Amino acid sequence: MQSVQRLVTAFLILFAFSAEAQDAKMKTFIDALMKKMTLEEKIGQLNLPGSGDIVTGQAKSSDIGKKIREGKVGGLFNIKGVEKIRDVQRVAVEESRMKIPLLFGMDVIHGYQTTFPIPLGLSCSWDMNAIEQSARIAATEASADGICWTFSPMVDIARDARWGRIAEGSGEDPYLGSAIAQAMVRGYQGNDLTKNNTIMACVKHYAMYGAAEAGRDYNTTDMSRLRMFNEYLPPYKAAVDAGAGSIMASFNEVDGIPATGSKFLMTDVLRRQWGFKGFVVTDYTGINEMIDHGMGDLQQVSALALKAGINMDMVGEGFLTTLTKSLKEGKITLKEIDDACRLILEAKYKLGLFDDPYKYCDVQRSKTDVYTDANRRTARRIAAESFVLLKNNNSILPLKKTGTIALIGPLADSKANMPGTWSVATDLSKAVAVKPAMENAVGANANILYAKGSSFEADPELEKRGTMFGRELQPDSRSNAELLAEALQVANQADVIVATLGEASEMSGESSSRTNIEIPQVQKDLLGALLKTGKPVVLVLFTGRPLALAWEQKNVPAILNVWFGGSEAGDAIADVLFGDVNPSGKLTTSFPQNVGQVPIYYAHKNTGRPLGEGKWFEKFRSNYLDVSNDPLYPFGYGLSYTTFSYSDVKLSSASLKGNQTLTASVTVTNTGKRDGKETVQLYIRDLVGSITRPVKELKGFQKISLKAGESRTVTFSITPNDLKFYNGDLKYDWEPGEFSIMIGASSRDVKSANVNWVK
Ligand code: BGC
């Protein structure tokens, strides 16, 4: 009898902590709360106004303050500073009738004050622990400064270098993109959202925003369901599976309907197929923009969004100003408003804001936990991992810390251009520029001479567009001819030239599409002149997108692509240039030979007229007259200061059945003289399918460290799960047959073995 009682007690305790019990408790709490709310207060929770006019002490008197008191605001975003946030939260919980706390969101995209590489750069580390850690540090700092919700991760697959926002995502591949999406969500949310150092993730931009036609931002997206499900949707789903608390609708249309009004995306796929339990917010004025899309007036489009499954309206106030009328006119139902309101309240509940609305407002923590030495050290280490060595003839790199080094280029001494696009919370004036970092690294052992060399762009209007939000260079009244003359004079005195060129940090990112994806001509002229001196030249390339570098690849002996490395970029660049860190980044996006090749990606289909292996042009084959089909640098590519060799691929069996596991292995050897890291990549090709299949798809990767001379066997376990895809009926399954298993150092450089797999 006693043991039965004990069992019952144990069961009750277990139940009390179970997810079901927690959900039931939350439901009871929110039911009770919503019973007391007026219709206007419920609609108020769906409102996320812009917060531009909030400054400390003003919240009460501003228009926003009035709305907060009236219960017409669910949250605010991009307010920086714990005191300001505390002040505004106080208005909500002390002066509004329902005393419901606000959500405070921010674009914490690649770090808070300590910033990490732009996401495209971060992805090139292929290091999931580092990526998770970057998000963890971002969450710790943001939460210490009042923020509980970040508009990240951005998981849009992008295959068109013209699109500026390719900088904000993880590149072209759904498998890698999914792994990174999950690492980011884990980093932000941890395993307990009620802690005061975790924040809620918001996966964006759902969906297919990265496939904008012609790479022009906000442009139309149109694609088959097969491509959607197999190539573009997986990272959003992966983030949802990892428990992301919220998701942001994208600006673009999909299948003729703006994502913000798409019931297919917001309800059928997100909620019904994927079982998403969090809330959906629009992007900035996403509802209002449906008027320009041609979907009706504000009342119509607001109703469309609500009915599609949107829960929160960012900035536009379409919900706030029209939903009551739509309800009266029978165009929407009270249940639709209640459902949306409940999801917003649930998010606040999950974050623990009802228990303590000030839990992220610990002024002390904002002083001790933000931009710490430890965080900056980690950011420096991770930045160095994101750099990709594209070329290194005659081992020019690493540089010696002796002699005279000419450091030349508009990015050599610019703090403001180091953190990269979307670094809202960082202090640009504290970022580490390349020049002081290199000086610091060499001390008295070498002489570093500096010249700016050129502006970013010859045309001042273009320069202005690429340097918005404080990213301009120090004012310099000299002409480009004068800057060039000075650069040559400096270069002529040096043993080696380090040219820091490329994009200014706002030449990529939102609303920064380009049709010319080369280094701006004025900087290319500078580079050409530097090469003519006959001295060895190292190009340290800053960019937020793949650039067309055919000329540079042909003419410059060494190229180190450093993206925008974050607040500690300068030190990280010095670490790699001088060989204190051996570069190990590998591209997550193909670099085209020229802009005419885009969109370009390794996981393309074969076509019925594929070009022969190693061929450039054959009449009546799928190719171009003027360039080969190959990218300049393929997905997965990146050099090291050491070299690696790969053995043939060994399979555990050449034929398998059903749910068996295949192991595929290679032995990788560090054949050079330095210790190094290598990312070993596994690709699979399904040779015959009921629909056409890509020529290869990434299905695994392992980043390993090898000492000089060391060998290691790297093994991948492959199950039928890795062979699954959405077929013509959009059913996710695998098909028996022949598969090519490829392992190698990049998508271009693989060895393969075939396997037959039956059901
Ligand atoms: C961007 C989003 C961002 C939002 C809020 C929009 O313009 O598309 O990525 O989260 O602004 O700042």
Side-chain angles (χ1 to χ4, degrees):
M1 197 54 203
Q2 244 184 3
S3 60
V4 173
Q5 246 170 18
R6 250 190 251 134
L7 263 178
V8 171
T9 317
F11 175 78
L12 286 176
I13 292 172
L14 271 180
F15 180 75
F17 286 104
S18 70
E20 288 83 3
Q22 298 296 325
D23 284 355
K25 216 172 127 197
M26 175 167 78
K27 186 173 180 308
T28 311
F29 177 85
I30 290 172
D31 282 348
L33 190 64
M34 284 182 63
K35 266 199 199 117
K36 295 187 219 139
M37 292 170 76
T38 64
L39 174 66
E40 283 67 32
E41 283 164 340
K42 288 175 182 170
I43 294 172
Q45 287 302 307
L46 319 187
N47 187 30
L48 181 69
S51 41
D53 64 341
I54 300 263
V55 290
T56 306
Q58 274 193 0
K60 236 173 150 175
S61 56
S62 68
D63 178 49
I64 300 254
K66 182 163 168 279
K67 284 194 178 126
I68 296 171
R69 264 184 285 132
E70 291 169 357
K72 291 182 174 164
V73 176
L76 291 168
F77 68 101
N78 288 355
I79 305 183
K80 189 177 179 218
V82 66
E83 270 148 18
K84 252 189 238 179
I85 289 177
R86 201 184 173 90
D87 189 34
V88 180
Q89 187 70 297
R90 201 185 45 72
V91 178
V93 298
E94 289 182 21
E95 297 180 24
S96 74
R97 192 183 77 90
M98 288 305 297
K99 308 194 180 331
I100 297 173
L102 300 170
L103 289 173
F104 288 93
M106 188 185 266
D107 289 282
V108 181
I109 307 296
H110 49 109
Y112 188 71
Q113 187 156 334
T114 305
T115 52
F116 296 86
I118 55 166
L120 185 59
L122 196 56
S123 68
C124 293
S125 71
W126 293 67
D127 183 336
M128 298 308 115
N129 291 331
I131 291 172
E132 181 172 338
Q133 198 184 2
S134 76
R136 182 85 292 281
I137 288 174
T140 309
E141 292 197 0
S143 62
D145 215 16
I147 301 297
C148 60
W149 180 34
T150 176
F151 301 144
S152 172
M154 190 279 216
V155 304
D156 305 326
I157 294 294
R159 295 170 167 183
D160 190 328
R162 293 170 295 184
W163 191 53
R165 300 198 83 171
I166 196 170
E168 293 178 52
S170 297
E172 70 184 49
D173 186 65
Y175 180 89
L176 181 64
S178 297
I180 294 175
Q182 298 202 326
M184 296 287 287
V185 172
R186 283 197 304 272
Y188 289 133
Q189 299 194 163
N191 51 14
D192 183 358
L193 264 187
T194 65
K195 286 190 179 156
N196 73 352
N197 66 355
T198 52
I199 60 179
M200 187 173 275
C202 183
V203 185
K204 70 189 190 185
H205 308 82
Y206 183 68
M208 274 78 77
Y209 182 36
E213 275 176 10
R216 205 182 74 213
D217 210 357
Y218 319 123
N219 203 4
T220 305
T221 290
D222 197 1
M223 67 171 71
S224 70
R225 290 282 152 102
L226 277 179
R227 173 163 274 184
M228 261 183 218
F229 279 88
N230 283 314
E231 300 168 30
Y232 280 78
L233 290 178
Y236 307 105
K237 177 170 188 303
V240 166
D241 290 345
S246 65
I247 199 161
M248 186 187 292
S250 58
F251 287 126
N252 55 285
E253 69 169 73
V254 172
D255 271 359
I257 298 180
T260 311
S262 168
K263 183 177 155 294
F264 163 71
L265 284 178
M266 301 305 157
T267 301
D268 299 350
V269 175
L270 184 61
R271 301 228 178 252
R272 300 213 174 109
Q273 285 191 34
W274 298 352
F276 178 61
K277 298 272 190 309
F279 73 96
V280 185
V281 63
T282 69
D283 201 345
Y284 204 103
T285 60
I287 290 178
N288 315 58
E289 289 172 25
M290 288 203 283
I291 302 171
D292 280 324
H293 274 287
M295 305 300 289
D297 62 16
L298 188 60
Q299 183 185 353
Q300 246 174 312
V301 294
S302 301
L304 179 69
L306 184 79
K307 293 181 96 64
I310 296 286
N311 312 126
M312 193 176 225
D313 172 4
M314 189 194 287
V315 175
E317 305 211 329
F319 279 179
L320 191 74
T321 55
T322 69
L323 289 188
T324 308
K325 182 160 185 272
S326 289
L327 182 65
K328 272 195 200 123
E329 292 170 2
K331 293 182 172 140
I332 57 170
T333 64
L334 183 60
K335 180 168 183 309
E336 284 160 346
I337 294 175
D338 279 350
D339 288 349
C341 176
R342 176 178 295 277
L343 288 165
I344 306 301
L345 296 174
E346 281 184 4
K348 296 178 177 184
Y349 182 96
K350 289 176 195 161
L351 284 163
L353 287 169
F354 288 109
D355 291 333
D356 178 5
Y358 301 112
K359 61 181 285 222
Y360 302 96
C361 297
D362 177 345
V363 177
Q364 197 46 38
R365 258 191 77 209
S366 75
K367 293 191 179 125
T368 54
D369 290 11
V370 179
Y371 202 56
T372 62
D373 288 346
N375 291 353
R376 293 182 60 196
R377 272 197 302 277
T378 306
R380 175 174 175 169
R381 174 175 58 77
I382 292 177
E385 284 223 35
S386 73
F387 302 161
V388 186
L389 183 63
L390 297 174
K391 185 176 174 189
N392 192 20
N393 266 17
N394 304 322
S395 299
I396 294 188
L397 287 174
L399 301 176
K400 293 191 197 65
K401 291 180 183 169
T402 55
T404 300
I405 301 167
L407 175 62
I408 296 172
L411 287 142
D413 198 19
S414 170
K415 292 169 184 237
N417 280 281
M418 295 301 102
T421 189
W422 278 122
S423 28
V424 176
T426 202
D427 180 345
L428 294 176
S429 70
K430 287 190 179 157
V432 183
V434 182
K435 180 172 167 279
M438 282 180 72
E439 285 165 351
N440 191 31
V442 299
N445 301 323
N447 191 13
I448 301 209
L449 304 176
Y450 161 75
K452 180 176 161 188
S454 77
S455 52
F456 285 121
E457 293 268 12
D459 178 346
E461 176 55 32
L462 288 186
E463 170 119 355
K464 204 164 90 198
R465 291 180 196 167
T467 54
M468 290 176 139
F469 312 123
R471 265 61 171 196
E472 64 275 3
L473 297 171
Q474 309 290 339
D476 193 322
S477 54
R478 289 174 295 172
S479 68
N480 274 309
E482 288 167 310
L483 292 173
L484 179 62
E486 182 197 40
L488 288 175
Q489 192 253 329
V490 163
N492 280 319
Q493 300 170 51
D495 305 311
V496 59
I497 299 167
V498 175
T500 47
L501 309 176
E503 296 193 319
S505 82
E506 291 304 315
M507 284 172 73
S508 56
E510 186 168 354
S511 189
S512 295
S513 295
R514 295 178 69 196
T515 61
N516 174 348
I517 54 168
E518 296 182 20
I519 296 177
Q521 193 57 45
V522 65
Q523 296 185 56
K524 273 183 120 168
D525 293 345
L526 168 64
L527 184 57
L530 296 176
L531 287 165
K532 278 206 191 115
T533 62
K535 313 254 172 167
V537 175
V538 175
L539 170 59
V540 174
L541 180 73
F542 289 80
T543 182
R545 55 156 58 77
L547 292 178
L549 299 168
W551 183 86
E552 291 78 0
Q553 169 63 19
K554 198 159 151 227
N555 294 293
V556 186
I559 307 175
L560 179 68
N561 185 0
V562 298
W563 308 110
F564 293 98
S567 53
E568 316 308 312
D571 281 327
I573 290 167
D575 290 342
V576 173
L577 284 180
F578 291 113
D580 297 316
V581 174
N582 188 350
S584 63
K586 299 227 185 196
L587 296 178
T588 57
T589 172
S590 308
F591 274 45
Q593 298 185 58
N594 65 31
V595 72
Q597 282 187 311
V598 299
I600 185 167
Y601 50 95
Y602 80 92
H604 59 81
K605 302 289 184 73
N606 203 36
T607 81
R609 292 189 173 193
L611 189 64
E613 189 77 30
K615 293 272 170 48
W616 171 342
F617 177 80
E618 289 175 289
K619 195 68 185 165
F620 304 121
R621 295 267 125 194
S622 178
N623 50 211
Y624 301 102
L625 291 175
D626 51 351
V627 291
S628 72
N629 286 351
D630 294 328
L632 186 66
Y633 306 118
F635 176 86
Y637 169 82
L639 303 173
S640 160
Y641 294 156
T642 188
T643 45
F644 300 98
S645 74
Y646 281 67
S647 72
D648 286 337
V649 175
K650 249 209 318 251
L651 300 182
S652 56
S653 169
S655 56
L656 288 102
K657 192 172 180 341
N659 270 337
Q660 287 179 329
T661 298
L662 169 72
T663 59
S665 53
V666 287
T667 302
V668 184
T669 305
N670 179 343
T671 49
K673 294 199 181 72
R674 285 173 177 267
D675 301 351
K677 291 182 185 170
E678 169 71 343
T679 298
V680 183
Q681 300 156 42
L682 166 75
Y683 298 88
I684 298 181
R685 177 171 184 183
D686 186 351
L687 288 158
V688 178
S690 59
I691 58 165
T692 61
R693 307 299 328 283
V695 295
K696 51 171 77 95
E697 294 174 289
L698 184 74
K699 290 294 176 184
F701 57 90
Q702 290 180 39
K703 190 166 185 175
I704 56 168
S705 295
L706 288 179
K707 298 225 170 303
E710 189 185 350
S711 291
R712 178 143 356 126
T713 299
V714 175
T715 303
F716 294 95
S717 295
I718 302 163
T719 71
N721 248 339
D722 301 303
L723 310 177
K724 286 184 178 168
F725 60 97
Y726 289 89
N727 64 23
D729 300 324
L730 293 183
K731 207 173 143 232
Y732 191 61
D733 203 358
W734 66 289
E735 295 173 359
E738 191 93 8
F739 299 87
S740 171
I741 310 293
M742 296 162 265
I743 303 181
S746 79
S747 62
R748 183 158 67 193
D749 178 13
V750 292
K751 293 189 168 166
S752 67
N754 281 17
V755 62
N756 194 279
W757 212 316
V758 297
K759 281 232 169 172

